[in-house]
Amino acid sequence: MRRRRVEVLAAGLVGSVVSGFPSTVWTLLEGGDPAEGGRALGKVVLPREERTLVLFVAGAPVHLALSLGWAGVLAAVLPDHDELVYGALGGLAIAGLDLAVLGRFFPPIAALPQGRQWADHAAFGLSVGAVLRATRRARA
């Protein structure tokens, strides 16, 4: 049980970091503002706030909690094979819920370029799957 918690923690931490790479790179290539996603999540918590640093500080624990929670879900449902493929598919399923369903209720999230956000979710699932595969193989 303790080992499983460590696996979920590792997968969630890696996923929380890796998940922002696609949108950040995409945004930078288009000459946009890579901080828009962090500000949007902070705006969900503090809707009247405008300062970027405050929004980042408010959104960071929310992002981490969501990443750890979803990593736990993926750890519970991903089979002990093809974790990368199923992880990426799981990330896209999470995107469906996070963006297409729940995101509509949060205007700062709905306003983000959605293709980038879906790519971030796929990267999250892929990275969680990679960590789970590595930790499962090390355990076996």
Side-chain angles (χ1 to χ4, degrees):
M1 181 62 132
R2 184 181 185 313
R3 181 168 286 199
R4 184 172 182 279
R5 282 183 273 170
V6 171
E7 290 174 357
V8 169
L9 179 62
L13 289 173
V14 169
S16 73
V17 172
V18 171
S19 66
F21 285 2
S23 65
T24 300
V25 170
W26 192 335
T27 300
L28 287 171
L29 289 173
E30 290 186 342
D33 180 5
E36 68 185 352
R39 277 197 302 273
L41 185 54
K43 282 274 202 192
V44 170
V45 179
L46 300 172
R48 292 186 175 94
E49 183 60 57
E50 295 297 328
R51 295 170 291 175
T52 297
L53 181 58
V54 174
L55 292 171
F56 274 25
V57 169
V62 174
H63 185 260
L64 182 59
L66 289 169
S67 295
L68 292 172
W70 281 122
V73 170
L74 290 176
V77 301
L78 291 184
D80 287 338
H81 61 85
D82 300 321
E83 288 94 341
L84 298 178
V85 172
Y86 288 114
L89 292 172
L92 292 172
I94 293 166
L97 178 62
D98 283 355
L99 301 171
V101 178
L102 300 175
R104 293 186 221 176
F105 298 104
F106 300 100
I109 302 301
L112 292 170
Q114 294 298 293
R116 298 173 197 176
Q117 299 309 307
W118 282 76
D120 283 353
H121 280 73
F124 170 79
L126 180 67
S127 62
V128 167
V131 172
L132 292 175
R133 181 180 70 177
T135 56
R136 288 171 176 176
R137 286 185 178 178
R139 182 175 12 124

